[in-house]
Amino acid sequence: MERIDPAVEEAVDTLGLSEPTRRRLLSGAGLVSATAAASALLAACSSDNKSPSSPTGGPGHFPKTPNWKFVFVNHVTTNPFFTPTQYGAQDACALLGCSFQWTGSQNSAVPEMVSATNAAISGKADGLAVAVVDKAAFRQPVDKALDAGIPVVSYNADGAKDDPGTNRLAYIGQDLYTSGYQLGTKIAALMTGGDAVGFIATPGSLNIQPRIDGAQDAIKASGKPIKFTSVASGAELPKELSTIDAYAQGHQNIKGMFAVDAGSTESIGKVMQKYRLKGKGVAAGGFDLTPGTLSSVKSGDLDFTIDQQPYLQGFLPVLALWFYRLSGGLVFPPVTNTGLTFVSKQTVGPYLTTKTRYEGSSPAQQLVPRSGAIAHV
């Protein structure tokens, strides 16, 4: 018998196999090198350790837990922006052995969202993730949940600047005022002066109003002669497009068209292309990564769009709530900024050529390869 490579013996010993299984594996043909042993070692792991769970039945080395159910209360439940958010929640639940419900309102009706929150509390949800788009309406329901021992985090929206509007344990999402300020800084960099419009689907809704406020402050701070006007475009996608189209026709001297929500941004791209406004010197941009918006960035009709990682806004709340339940409240949810990335014509390529769950363009589970240097300043 050929000598067994010591690395193989060491690896086998870490598997915790029974002595008969260990002898059988080591006496098998072809196990004279660590490379040749790899497939046999994997087979041994599969046959003697069939479950990926810990000895106590949970994922990895965690103990077995109940099938905790977490409820997401959303303000635009059918909006495509939140497709990757729901994928993120699904993936976190699959990883941790829990489940979630997606509920709320289709058109930012706060009373419907409050009703959904109260229903989740009455149904004894194990945790809540709430888009706090109103700084007053959710205060009492969140306190009611906390009094009942139900942990609550906010996601995507967190009340007003300097006033979260609830006693939630943590906020997980983009810093909305800061993102608006960065938008305004970008507008000032693109324009020398003139009239600019900022479209907002639902003025006052605190998932987007802080962005308009931040943009206005940044433009003012720039000192440039830019007249920035905020205009409501409507919560429904067809309404947004018709409003923006009509505005462009009625304001022939406009020099900048921008938006703070996904639907309005995509509509700006369509209107810019329709009237060939880029050739007339009009700057344009906005938020989020809908397919239409990405195509408009690629064509140059939009100068940029801003990514806020919606997938993480579903994945991370589940993770935070699960750990809070697991640890008896000792692992407290951290406030988490999901970030801000400007996507331009120079950087939009991977978003268009790669269809993934992480950006909501495909339901498929996949490993997305990448190569080359990572961009940095």
Side-chain angles (χ1 to χ4, degrees):
M1 176 178 174
E2 294 184 80
R3 181 178 179 273
I4 303 297
D5 190 302
V8 175
E9 290 194 85
E10 182 179 353
V12 169
D13 287 340
T14 67
L15 297 178
L17 305 178
S18 64
E19 185 57 29
T21 301
R22 180 183 183 280
R23 287 198 303 268
R24 185 170 64 251
L25 180 60
L26 287 175
S27 63
L31 302 189
V32 294
S33 72
T35 302
S39 61
L41 292 176
L42 289 173
C45 289
S46 298
S47 62
D48 279 52
N49 303 279
K50 292 181 180 179
S51 174
S53 301
S54 72
T56 52
H61 291 287
F62 291 109
K64 183 175 177 59
T65 63
N67 180 13
W68 288 319
K69 181 179 180 180
F70 305 127
V71 177
F72 281 72
V73 180
N74 190 260
H75 50 292
V76 281
T77 53
T78 59
N79 192 294
F81 168 82
F82 286 106
T83 297
T85 304
Q86 293 176 73
Y87 286 152
Q90 287 175 7
D91 290 348
C93 285
L95 187 67
L96 300 171
C98 53
S99 60
F100 82 100
Q101 178 188 0
W102 186 257
T103 186
S105 173
Q106 290 189 28
N107 54 5
S108 291
V110 171
E112 293 178 6
M113 297 178 67
V114 171
S115 177
T117 303
N118 286 327
I121 297 168
S122 299
K124 301 185 185 305
D126 294 298
L128 290 173
V130 182
V132 182
V133 296
D134 185 289
K135 69 178 182 179
F138 295 96
R139 193 179 302 275
Q140 184 176 357
V142 169
D143 284 347
K144 181 180 177 182
L146 296 173
D147 288 341
I150 301 172
V152 183
V153 298
S154 60
Y155 75 103
N156 188 257
D158 189 45
K161 183 189 177 189
D162 300 324
D163 181 7
T166 70
N167 290 308
R168 86 299 185 261
L169 303 182
Y171 169 59
I172 299 169
Q174 188 178 69
D175 184 321
L176 298 171
Y177 177 83
T178 298
S179 71
Y181 199 93
Q182 291 297 315
L183 170 67
T185 300
K186 176 70 77 172
I187 291 171
L190 290 170
M191 297 180 60
T192 57
D195 293 339
V197 59
F199 291 104
I200 176 171
T202 48
S205 183
L206 295 179
N207 63 311
I208 47 181
Q209 183 65 45
R211 289 175 176 164
I212 280 285
D213 296 340
Q216 290 173 328
D217 288 350
I219 291 169
K220 182 178 180 180
S222 75
K224 286 192 171 182
I226 299 171
K227 182 181 178 182
F228 185 79
T229 303
S230 175
V231 173
S233 53
E236 300 294 330
L237 295 177
K239 174 65 174 174
E240 288 176 308
L241 179 58
S242 62
T243 298
I244 293 169
D245 190 299
Y247 192 92
Q249 292 185 68
H251 297 78
Q252 299 288 322
N253 294 322
I254 196 78
K255 294 299 180 184
M257 297 180 69
F258 305 94
V260 294
D261 60 273
S264 297
T265 301
E266 180 168 338
S267 296
I268 287 175
K270 293 177 180 178
V271 170
M272 289 285 294
Q273 190 277 331
K274 180 179 179 180
Y275 298 112
R276 300 181 180 179
L277 297 179
K278 180 55 60 179
K280 300 177 182 179
V282 178
F287 280 80
D288 303 325
L289 304 173
T290 66
T293 291
L294 293 173
S295 295
S296 293
V297 172
K298 180 66 174 177
S299 68
D301 291 304
L302 291 177
D303 292 288
F304 65 89
T305 192
I306 295 173
D307 182 9
Q308 59 172 311
Q309 294 291 328
Y311 179 91
L312 292 180
Q313 294 180 23
F315 190 95
L316 294 178
V318 170
L319 194 65
L321 293 170
W322 189 85
F323 270 114
Y324 187 87
R325 303 294 311 199
L326 179 73
S327 68
L330 296 177
V331 178
F332 204 85
V335 173
T336 306
N337 185 348
T338 57
L340 181 156
T341 302
F342 280 97
V343 180
S344 66
K345 187 173 184 177
Q346 290 71 38
T347 60
V348 73
Y351 293 90
L352 288 168
T353 57
T354 307
K355 306 299 181 184
T356 76
R357 290 172 69 81
Y358 315 116
E359 300 298 344
S361 53
S362 169
Q365 295 283 6
Q366 59 179 308
L367 172 66
V368 183
R370 74 166 306 280
S371 61
I374 298 174
H376 57 92
V377 178

